[in-house]
Structures are given as C-alpha cells and as structure tokens.
Amino acid sequence: MSNLIQPVKVSILLAARNEEANIERCLKSLDALQFPKENLEICIGDDDSSDKTAEIIQAYIKEKPQFKYYKISQQTDGLKGKANVLAQLAHVTTGDFLFFCDADIAVPTGWITNMLPFFMENTGIVVGLTRMKKSRFFADFLSLEWLFTLTVMRFFSLFNIGITGLGNNMAVSRKAYDSVGGYEGIGFSIVEDYALFMAIVKNKFDFVQTYIPEIIAISEPVKTFKELTIQRKRWMHGIMQSPLVLRICLIISALLIPVIAVIAIWDPERSLRMLIQNYMLITAIVLVPVILLKQKDLWKAVFLFWFYLIGISVLMLIIHMLPGKTTWKERTY
C-alpha cells in the first residue's frame, strides 16, 4: 500500500436519474464518511430526473457544504447517459482522486480511508467490492454472484490481467483520468466503468482489485424479473467487450448442461463426474469471499449457488442473442 500523506483532496462523483426510492440512503452513507469534510466534495449530477430525485437531494444537502448539486440537462458531444453526467461532473471537481458510486449504493464509513492506501505512485485505478442489501433469499444469490465475479477478477489481477472496473465502487487518480482525456477522450459506452478502466490500464497505469471487507458497498437488489433482464442486457454489452477469458467462462456456464447431456448419451459416468467436479469448483470459489470477506449471512445460499449461476448464465446468453436495443433509466441505447 502507498504512503500517501493525508490530507489529500477527494471528489466523489454521483450520477442520479429517477432515483427517488434510493437516493437518500446513498446520501446518508456519504454524509457519514469518516474523512475530513474540508478535504471532501460530493458532486451530484441530476441526470434530468422526472421524479422527486432533485427535491430529495436539495432538501438533504441543505447546510452541508461538502455536497454540491448540479442539474445536468446539456449533452457533451459524443456522450450520453451516465457517461455524459460523469464527464461534466469531472470538470467541476477539484480532487486529487475521483471516487465513483451509484445512487442505489450505500458505502461504508471507511470507504475513502481504506481505498486511498492502495494508490501507489503509478496506480491509476482502484476497484472496490459490492454486494446486495440483506433482504429476501434471491438477494443472497445476487450477492454471491457479485462476490464470485469479484473473486475471479481478484485472481486474474494477481497476474496483472484486468477484467473491468466497477462504477458503483471505484476510485481513479486525477492524473490517470486526465491522461486518457476523461470520458470525452474515451467516447460513449453504455458500460462506462469498463471503458474508463480499460482506457486507464491501456495507458500504462497500474490497477488494484481490492479484497478487504472494509470497502464493501451495499447495493439495492433488482426487485422484478423485468428489471433483472434489462440490467443483464446492459451488462452483456460489457462482458462481450471484456477479455476473452470472461466471455469463455460465461459461455461455458451457459452451455454446460446441454454439453454434459450430450456426453451422457455415450458416457453417463463421465458426464456425472463432470457435473460433480464443476459443482465443487464453483462452490469452492464462492466460499472464498464468504469466508475471507466475512459475509456469514450468505452461508445459507452457498451450496445452491451453482444452480443459480447455471440459470443466470443461460438467461444472459439468451438475452444477448435476442434482437432489440437496451433500455436503461428510461433511455434507449
């Protein structure tokens, strides 16, 4: 870890569009951050919301000078959606480090103080961890899916193989952000976190995939199957642009059962061994974050996670193959 001499100036960038159900929870978590307020600015970009998002934000941040509200109605050339909001916010920030989270996220109180030490001299980007808020049983599977994926990302990062960023829990140095020309230099992507991560890594900056419980952010889980399919169609844009290893993992998970069923016609014993071995491998991987990151409440879903992973992988592949554009935050891409 670095020997950064605090205090440094930190800017948090938060894009919000029609988040009246979630935004106050996020703001409360940002207000509770254990970091000197005189060295912190929280810049909120209201992406032309049509609900009560702006009203809730303005009421909450009143007499809180570290919070700054910006109504984003103009579009930067070549950008739209969240990337457009973040690009405009970056221009008004003054921090040495830019922290990113989403409006449906609650960050831990030590988020900044535990992320900053990972910045070494040439570190451009630090990726955090995310899980779902404790609620119904399905949310446990979503949490395990996030932690499973982040564990795989952590493994490859040890070999300096970058997979993606995490727009709801990520920090970049101002030097790295400016070196790629910001979001204007990168251009529009519906998966703006992946685009920024890859641009910074390709520009010869180091990255860190963190793996400590103190920086786990808590997200609101999707509430309906429709929301899930919309979310996964957007994610598939990022996955299909990601390194080959991630695409192969998804395709293998989606096609595992059909392939084993075909093998079973000629060799039932081998097909059964393959199923058992795959189940044990996936379960072992998902046990790692539950144990190392101390997420004890997820134990009850661990041994059923394999079935969920197979199902969600098939669903995502089908969603990607179906024709149609992606709708996100009431906008079509």
Side-chain angles (χ1 to χ4, degrees), residues 9 64 77 93 98 125-126 132 139 149 163 166 174 177 188 194 197 200 208 221 234 247 251 265 289 291 306 311 319:
K9 187 69 180 288
K64 294 182 175 69
D77 289 343
T93 58
L98 308 180
I125 188 162
V126 175
M132 298 298 115
T149 304
I163 302 295
L166 199 64
R174 170 71 70 174
Y177 182 84
F188 173 70
Y194 169 80
F197 176 87
I200 289 174
V208 176
R234 174 177 174 265
R247 285 175 279 166
I251 293 170
I265 297 174
I291 296 171
W306 180 85
I319 289 171

Side-chain angles (χ1 to χ4, degrees), residues 164 188-195 229-243 246-247 250 316 319-328 332-333:
T164 186
F188 173 70
S189 172
I190 195 172
V191 281
E192 82 296 325
D193 46 2
Y194 169 80
T229 57
I230 292 172
Q231 179 196 66
R232 297 315 166 98
K233 190 170 183 66
R234 174 177 174 265
W235 285 9
M236 284 301 292
H237 281 278
I239 291 173
M240 290 307 170
Q241 297 173 25
S242 64
L246 190 60
R247 285 175 279 166
L250 175 69
M316 290 173 69
I319 289 171
H320 179 69
M321 294 173 65
L322 289 175
K325 296 183 177 180
T326 299
T327 300
W328 189 248
T332 300
Y333 300 95

